[in-house]
Amino acid sequence: MATLVFDIETSGLPVESFDETQQEYLFRELQRIEDEEVREKRREELTRMMSLWPLTSQCVCIAMINAESEKGQVLYLADDFDVDEVGQEGVKFLPFPDEHELLTEFWKVVPKFDRIVSFNGRGFDVPFVYLRSAVLNVPISRKDWLGYRFQTTPHCDLMEQLSFYNVSGRDGAARKFNLDFYCKAFGIESPKSQGISGMDVGQLMEEGRYREIADYCLRDVYATNRLYQIWKERLEGIK
């Protein structure tokens, strides 16, 4: 079975790119906060949260590798989009000038694979790329990744597998942890070990540090794949 492991990075669109009505909708709760300092802090929080919503942000990077060979591609937004680099272990870095082209390339690649593997892909990555593709009118080549939740093909979401579909809720034995915590528990190098996390992507975009975003996203995918190999060897098939 050909298996693709992938991860995305996103960055909020500028607040000023939304019209007055949209901004009022996004920040409507601020009207109920009287304290100016508290109100400004909450505004900053909401602005950061915009990077999580596909109607207020964009996909700036998608890293994907073959689960067996660990060869693949990292698609990312960058100003120097004429560059075509091959990184370590046969992973190609492909810069794109805009999100439309990035997503178009993504949907060209994925039909070659029978299964995709993600970490929290059902809750975030997959609906995000679906909605962003719809907004930008990019044809979607695979529309079955949010199907029957209790199957691991065509989509194996490791967060769901390692929590056994959230069988014990927030506080039970199988509670959900983030990727960093799972990696450390299973002896895998955390993608955050080099001091960058998903929260830094917006700032890195502003500073033009596009390749650093691509490198971080690829580390996420490597870690996800190593966690997938452990799950497949030790836990796959548990019901």
Side-chain angles (χ1 to χ4, degrees):
M1 179 184 296
T3 300
L4 183 75
V5 185
F6 88 109
D7 182 59
I8 72 172
E9 299 300 334
T10 64
S11 180
L13 297 168
V15 173
E16 56 270 19
S17 66
F18 301 97
D19 66 28
E20 185 177 341
T21 304
Q22 290 174 306
Q23 291 187 42
E24 183 180 347
Y25 180 83
L26 290 169
F27 299 106
R28 63 191 184 283
E29 69 175 77
L30 300 180
Q31 300 174 11
R32 301 191 297 269
I33 303 176
E34 296 183 2
D35 186 283
E36 184 177 349
E37 185 175 341
V38 174
R39 186 169 60 250
E40 186 56 34
K41 183 177 180 180
R42 182 55 180 162
R43 176 183 288 276
E44 292 174 0
E45 291 174 350
L46 289 170
T47 302
R48 286 195 299 271
M49 289 173 64
M50 286 172 59
S51 67
L52 302 177
W53 306 325
L55 299 187
T56 59
S57 63
Q58 61 179 339
C59 182
V60 299
C61 184
I62 304 178
M64 47 187 169
I65 61 171
N66 184 301
E68 298 304 321
S69 68
E70 290 205 333
K71 294 180 180 180
Q73 302 178 53
V74 183
L75 319 176
Y76 65 106
L77 299 188
D79 292 334
D80 53 346
F81 50 83
D82 290 332
V83 179
D84 184 351
E85 304 177 58
V86 176
Q88 60 179 354
E89 301 179 17
V91 175
K92 184 177 290 188
F93 287 79
L94 298 175
F96 290 87
D98 59 57
E99 186 186 17
H100 187 284
E101 291 192 24
L102 185 153
L103 289 170
T104 298
E105 180 64 23
F106 174 69
W107 291 119
K108 287 180 181 177
V109 172
V110 295
K112 303 172 186 176
F113 294 87
D114 307 298
R115 171 190 274 179
I116 61 161
V117 175
S118 69
F119 187 88
N120 194 31
R122 182 177 292 276
F124 182 70
D125 305 70
V126 171
F128 195 101
V129 294
Y130 277 163
L131 283 170
R132 286 307 297 170
S133 297
V135 166
L136 297 172
N137 196 24
V138 175
I140 299 169
S141 61
R142 290 294 301 265
K143 296 185 177 181
D144 56 348
W145 290 344
L146 291 177
Y148 184 54
R149 183 184 179 193
F150 300 102
Q151 289 181 329
T152 56
T153 301
H155 182 187
C156 177
D157 183 339
L158 290 175
M159 177 179 278
E160 291 203 326
Q161 295 308 309
L162 294 172
S163 66
F164 303 104
Y165 301 100
N166 201 29
V167 67
S168 55
R170 295 181 61 185
D171 302 316
R175 62 154 288 182
K176 294 179 180 179
F177 290 88
N178 62 17
L179 180 60
D180 175 70
F181 207 102
Y182 280 118
C183 285
K184 291 174 180 176
F186 283 98
I188 299 167
E189 183 178 359
S190 169
K192 295 180 174 59
S193 62
Q194 297 189 29
I196 295 177
S197 74
M199 297 299 294
D200 301 314
V201 171
Q203 184 65 34
L204 293 173
M205 283 293 293
E206 289 181 13
E207 296 173 1
R209 296 160 65 185
Y210 310 115
R211 180 57 186 264
E212 291 181 50
I213 297 171
D215 288 337
Y216 166 69
C217 192
L218 181 59
R219 289 197 297 273
D220 255 1
V221 172
Y222 280 145
T224 301
N225 188 39
R226 281 148 201 173
L227 193 60
Y228 168 66
Q229 299 300 334
I230 289 173
W231 169 83
K232 188 167 66 167
E233 177 185 340
R234 306 175 191 176
L235 294 169
E236 186 176 16
I238 291 177
K239 299 180 180 179

